[in-house]
Amino acid sequence: MAAAACGGEAAAATRAVCAFSPRDRRFFAISSSDGRLRVWQTADSRLQHEYVPSAHLSAACTCLAWAPPGDRPPPAKDGPQRKKRKSEFAEVDKQLDILAIGTAVGSILLYSTVKGELQSKLDGGHDNRVNCVRWHQDNCCLYSCSEDKHIVEWSTQTFKVKCKWKGDNSSVTSLCISPDGKMLLSAGRTIKLWDLETKEVYRHFTGHATSVSSLTFTTVKSMNENKPFDGITGLYFLSGAIHDRLLSVWYIRSDRKEKNAVMSFTVTDEPTFIDLTVSEVKEEPVKLAVVCRDGQLHLFEHILNGYCKKPLTSNCTIQIATPGNDGDSTPKPVPILAAAFCTDKQTLLLVYGNTLQPIIEKVSLNTTEPHICLIRDIQKVLSLKADVALTKVKTPVVNSDTKVLVPGIPGHSTAVKNPSSGKEKKKNKRKPGETEESIEERLGALDIDVSTVKTPGGLPQTDNFAVLLVQGLESNDAEILNRVLNTRKENVIKNTVARMPIHAVIPLLHELTKRLQGNPYSASLMVRWLKSVFTLHASYLSTLPDLIPQLGMLYQLMESRVKTLQKLSRLHGRLFILVTQVAASETVQDVTDINQTAKLVYEDESSEEEGSDDEMIADNKDSDENWDEDEEKEEQSDEQDMTVEKEVNGDSDLEPENESEEE
């Protein structure tokens, strides 16, 4: 039972995305950094399939998961071809078929290893990087988690989302399904046990300081025989986290009291690949194989019987190194990429070397020795593979009198003709009556500094660059190489690479690789040379049998540089926005206030008349208001006189009849 490569961006940067086929371990799938998926046969290390996704440069593979045996979406019904397809699939039912591939853009690809083509594409579930993919045992469900904090349940029959729920407050990095298929383990910073029917949290487990990168159950039955087994209580499971050298073992109790790990295994570095043999009986020990980032393999064997205070150390550590038989060479470590137990649990499959062409070997277990170092000559193994592949090619029968000239043989050299030399000769023909241009004018037309050419150590001509480059590579003269490789002109670089002999291409690539490791300024110059070499000499490089080990360091160097490109691009965009905003605010502050007062006012005669009319209207309004006020005052004085007269005559308001008579 292998824990395939899962985890976030930090985990993917330190591990190879790979997975063994379950049970029989017949196939080994690995995705390299260039986005290509390769499926190898473990028996003879032969390449079975190679798949390149259409968007492999922008949507790199982040996780892999083989479907359980016989786990396949039903084939489409195409009428008359149905009987034929059934007979074809009957032979393949026992072997593995579908491989789920999680990508960095949120989609999941289903690749058929039998047909050698893409079966389906699952879209619409995640909008960010897929961290882990797990198949369900009932062959109709697929679970995935992502950086978008969600867990998605897919239907492999309709290829659509069945259910989607939030798994954590941060990104969910790993998943694992219980042996009975009713529970699901998910992990980000904390580990949660979900009930798949209700999608509710059943248990919480805390103990890792960083994101969990691997989850797997170590037992399928409860070790306590006195209590009835409900499918989940009493099981043990294993977890590992990035930047953590401890693998924790957890015990699922019936109550909610115990939330911490019951035991732990210690390793030398961060675990990158984990495989184990599941314990089915109480007395049967669990065998654990852990591949670390430093390339070592640690083997553990322990009976899970409760709490253990001290971390357990490995029973055996396996390393691989080159022989180093020559006097001037020293043994070099060979990294182990993955390891898996075979069905007999007594042999181990080791995958070591590089991700482009790994070597798969079956090794018998011997845990009596605490440390084992295997000596393997990788160059010899790769050359034997190349020879076996070349034997399939028919070689022509050559007569003894014929002489064959092959590029790269000493003594065979041909002058490279400049294709534009004929045109230049036609252009150089002068017509009668024309004056010849001076050397200074010609150099000025070529955009070459005249003063530099006149000096003794000046810039050499383009024709001499190839000669100087070969001399510098053969003598390893740093001064000559600096003069040639520090040029910036594209046409000079292209012509020099085109005119250099074939046997100097590989030494030039080694020199460029060495200089790429220097400061960024020199690296930017060396990239131009690399572009020209790969463009003009790609056909020659493709014929070399040992090209992969010779260009391995260059490829890893380019890969490490490209990893930070996305983050630097984001930082560059944010800084550009900030700088533009600051500059805009400064320009607004520097603008002086515009004087709004008029320098000249012109008035018409009509404007004066209109003004006088307005004044007269205003005076009339004032006089009318004063007139009204005077009338009101006179009326009030008349009323007061009337009341005084009534009082003198003895009249009052209580006698309205007399008042009317007097009136």
Side-chain angles (χ1 to χ4, degrees):
M1 184 175 182
C6 298
E9 296 182 4
T14 59
R15 67 181 65 210
V17 182
C18 54
F20 283 95
S21 60
R23 296 185 185 177
D24 54 0
R25 314 295 196 203
R26 288 182 56 191
F27 300 104
F28 176 72
I30 185 169
S31 176
S32 55
S33 301
D34 58 354
R36 298 174 183 269
L37 174 68
R38 295 177 177 89
V39 180
W40 302 83
Q41 288 188 358
T42 56
D44 53 0
S45 300
R46 186 169 60 89
L47 182 63
Q48 181 77 8
H49 295 284
E50 183 174 5
Y51 172 64
V52 183
S54 58
H56 67 285
L57 296 178
S58 60
C61 174
T62 56
C63 54
L64 294 174
W66 289 90
D71 191 2
R72 182 189 307 105
K77 298 180 180 180
D78 292 339
Q81 294 183 356
R82 186 175 180 181
K83 291 184 179 179
K84 185 178 178 181
R85 288 193 174 185
K86 279 188 175 181
S87 62
E88 289 175 355
F89 283 125
E91 301 175 358
V92 196
D93 277 339
K94 296 182 180 179
Q95 73 178 32
L96 203 61
D97 191 358
I98 303 299
L99 183 64
I101 307 169
T103 61
V105 295
S107 59
I108 299 174
L109 307 178
L110 299 183
Y111 178 74
S112 173
T113 57
V114 174
K115 298 180 182 179
E117 61 183 14
L118 188 66
Q119 183 89 358
S120 179
K121 184 178 181 181
L122 306 181
D123 277 328
H126 298 292
D127 54 3
N128 207 334
R129 173 193 180 93
V130 179
N131 290 329
C132 190
V133 178
R134 286 289 180 268
W135 293 86
H136 199 273
Q137 293 91 326
D138 62 356
N139 72 17
C140 67
C141 292
L142 180 71
Y143 292 90
S144 63
C145 62
S146 170
E147 293 283 328
D148 59 4
K149 311 175 185 179
H150 286 83
I151 302 173
V152 176
E153 180 182 358
W154 303 87
S155 172
T156 54
Q157 297 178 349
T158 61
F159 306 115
K160 293 182 180 179
V161 178
K162 289 180 64 176
C163 184
K164 180 178 180 180
W165 71 95
K166 187 175 181 180
D168 206 332
N169 293 329
S170 59
S171 61
V172 185
T173 55
S174 187
L175 295 175
C176 185
I177 301 174
S178 62
D180 62 350
K182 297 180 180 179
M183 295 288 181
L184 175 71
L185 278 173
S186 71
R189 291 297 179 90
T190 60
I191 302 174
K192 297 179 181 179
L193 184 63
W194 299 85
D195 188 349
L196 289 179
E197 291 185 1
T198 61
K199 303 298 186 295
E200 295 179 354
V201 179
Y202 181 71
R203 291 286 187 276
H204 281 274
F205 304 92
T206 56
H208 287 290
T210 55
S211 299
V212 177
S213 58
S214 57
L215 281 174
T216 179
F217 279 91
T218 58
T219 54
V220 295
K221 295 181 180 179
S222 175
M223 296 303 163
N224 191 355
E225 298 176 354
N226 299 327
K227 296 181 180 180
F229 181 55
D230 60 354
I232 192 66
T233 304
L235 295 184
Y236 290 89
F237 68 90
L238 182 76
S239 67
I242 61 174
H243 309 305
D244 194 353
R245 295 187 298 173
L246 288 178
L247 292 170
S248 302
V249 179
W250 311 80
Y251 180 66
I252 303 175
R253 299 169 58 94
S254 58
D255 53 6
R256 298 176 180 266
K257 294 181 180 179
E258 190 69 34
K259 296 183 179 180
N260 299 325
V262 295
M263 67 179 67
S264 59
F265 301 99
T266 178
V267 291
T268 56
D269 205 342
E270 174 189 343
T272 58
F273 192 90
I274 300 173
D275 187 63
L276 54 86
T277 60
V278 179
S279 175
E280 299 180 359
V281 188
K282 184 177 181 180
E283 293 78 13
E284 182 183 3
V286 174
K287 293 183 179 180
L288 182 65
V290 182
V291 179
C292 296
R293 188 175 57 180
D294 56 3
Q296 298 186 34
L297 171 64
H298 300 275
L299 298 177
F300 299 87
E301 187 172 348
H302 186 73
I303 298 176
L304 302 178
N305 54 3
Y307 182 76
C308 184
K309 186 176 181 180
K310 294 183 179 180
L312 302 175
T313 57
S314 61
N315 297 5
C316 180
T317 302
I318 299 177
Q319 286 180 304
I320 300 178
T322 56
N325 295 327
D326 300 334
D328 56 347
S329 64
T330 56
K332 297 180 181 179
V334 179
I336 299 176
L337 302 177
F341 290 99
C342 297
T343 53
D344 57 357
K345 300 183 181 180
Q346 300 299 325
T347 55
L348 197 67
L349 281 174
L350 295 181
V351 182
Y352 56 90
N354 54 41
T355 58
L356 298 177
Q357 192 170 0
I359 300 172
I360 305 174
E361 181 181 353
K362 185 179 290 187
V363 180
S364 60
L365 291 177
N366 184 14
T367 57
T368 57
E369 299 182 9
H371 189 85
I372 300 175
C373 184
L374 304 177
I375 306 300
R376 298 292 183 267
D377 192 353
I378 296 182
Q379 300 292 339
K380 187 176 181 180
V381 174
L382 291 177
S383 62
L384 287 175
K385 286 185 180 180
D387 293 341
V388 171
L390 290 175
T391 54
K392 299 179 182 179
V393 182
K394 255 187 150 182
T395 55
V397 179
V398 181
N399 192 4
S400 59
D401 298 334
T402 59
K403 184 179 181 182
V404 181
L405 301 178
V406 182
I409 295 179
H412 171 63
S413 60
T414 56
V416 180
K417 296 182 180 180
N418 190 359
S420 60
S421 59
K423 297 181 180 179
E424 290 178 356
K425 288 180 180 179
K426 293 179 181 180
K427 291 181 180 179
N428 289 336
K429 292 182 179 180
R430 293 184 289 109
K431 294 181 180 180
E434 290 182 353
T435 58
E436 185 179 0
E437 295 181 351
S438 63
I439 299 296
E440 185 176 355
E441 292 174 351
R442 293 181 182 179
L443 293 177
L446 291 174
D447 195 19
I448 298 178
D449 193 359
V450 182
S451 60
T452 309
V453 178
K454 290 181 179 180
T455 55
L459 183 70
Q461 296 181 1
T462 309
D463 298 336
N464 298 332
F465 261 56
V467 179
L468 286 175
L469 183 58
V470 174
Q471 290 177 357
L473 292 173
E474 291 178 354
S475 62
N476 200 12
D477 192 342
E479 184 178 355
I480 297 177
L481 291 174
N482 289 335
R483 290 175 58 188
V484 177
L485 296 178
N486 286 339
T487 182
R488 295 185 176 183
K489 296 189 176 181
E490 296 289 343
N491 56 347
V492 175
I493 295 174
K494 191 177 295 184
N495 293 334
T496 303
V497 174
R499 291 170 182 173
M500 65 183 297
I502 296 295
H503 62 82
V505 173
I506 294 298
L508 176 60
L509 287 176
H510 290 326
E511 181 66 26
L512 294 176
T513 304
K514 189 188 303 181
R515 290 172 177 263
L516 276 172
Q517 300 175 3
N519 55 7
Y521 175 75
S522 63
S524 63
L525 296 177
M526 297 307 110
V527 169
R528 302 181 182 180
W529 286 90
L530 276 177
K531 179 181 177 181
S532 299
V533 170
F534 288 140
T535 304
L536 299 174
H537 297 289
S539 58
Y540 166 69
L541 293 174
S542 62
T543 60
L544 298 177
D546 56 344
L547 179 64
I548 294 176
Q550 290 197 15
L551 297 184
M553 185 179 296
L554 175 62
Y555 185 83
Q556 293 177 1
L557 184 64
M558 294 170 64
E559 181 184 357
S560 63
R561 296 286 180 92
V562 171
K563 283 178 183 176
T564 58
L565 178 62
Q566 186 177 7
K567 296 181 180 178
L568 290 176
S569 300
R570 293 177 180 173
L571 180 61
H572 177 268
R574 293 174 181 174
L575 291 176
F576 179 75
I577 293 174
L578 289 175
V579 169
T580 51
Q581 289 180 352
V582 171
S585 62
E586 289 179 353
T587 53
V588 170
Q589 292 176 1
D590 293 341
V591 174
T592 58
D593 296 334
I594 301 174
N595 190 7
Q596 301 293 340
T597 58
K599 294 184 178 180
L600 180 63
V601 178
Y602 176 73
E603 294 184 356
D604 262 354
E605 295 178 357
S606 58
S607 62
E608 294 178 357
E609 294 176 357
E610 291 175 357
S612 60
D613 294 339
D614 294 339
E615 291 175 357
M616 291 175 64
I617 293 170
D619 294 339
N620 293 332
K621 288 182 179 180
D622 294 338
S623 61
D624 294 336
E625 292 175 358
N626 295 333
W627 177 260
D628 294 334
E629 291 176 358
D630 295 337
E631 288 180 350
E632 290 177 358
K633 290 179 181 179
E634 290 177 358
E635 290 176 357
Q636 291 177 359
S637 60
D638 292 338
E639 290 177 358
Q640 290 177 359
D641 296 337
M642 292 285 290
T643 53
V644 171
E645 290 178 359
K646 288 179 181 180
E647 290 176 358
V648 172
N649 296 327
D651 297 335
S652 63
D653 295 336
L654 299 174
E655 296 178 356
E657 297 177 358
N658 298 331
E659 185 178 351
S660 60
E661 290 177 356
E662 291 177 358
E663 290 177 357

